[in-house]
Amino acid sequence: MAAPVEQQQPVVDEAAELEAAVAQAIEACGGDPVDAVRALIVANAMLERELADVYAKASRGFLRGRRLPKRKV
């Protein structure tokens, strides 16, 4: 019996992608890294609120008790 054929995943340089994302975030904030960090913190807080809303609206039966515990800040 022939061995299963493995699909080749393209080699991605994650470090290079991260550096490009960092440069893009800083550039979007006029070159100020402090403003970039501030904007990312605000965006993350908005996403956390949106996720909390989704969990609040999802039924317990759908989640089957898999709600994540609240993070301690």
Side-chain angles (χ1 to χ4, degrees), residues 11-71:
V11 177
V12 177
D13 187 1
E14 291 180 10
E17 284 186 359
L18 179 60
E19 289 300 319
V22 168
Q24 185 179 12
I26 292 172
E27 182 182 332
C29 292
D32 187 358
V34 174
D35 283 345
V37 170
R38 184 178 295 115
L40 292 171
I41 290 171
V42 169
N44 189 54
M46 289 174 31
L47 289 171
E48 286 181 351
R49 278 193 298 268
E50 184 178 342
L51 183 60
D53 289 344
V54 168
Y55 275 130
K57 292 175 184 175
S59 71
R60 182 160 176 80
F62 178 76
L63 294 173
R64 296 190 180 114
R66 293 182 290 197
R67 287 189 190 220
L68 300 175
K70 292 191 179 214
R71 290 184 357 180

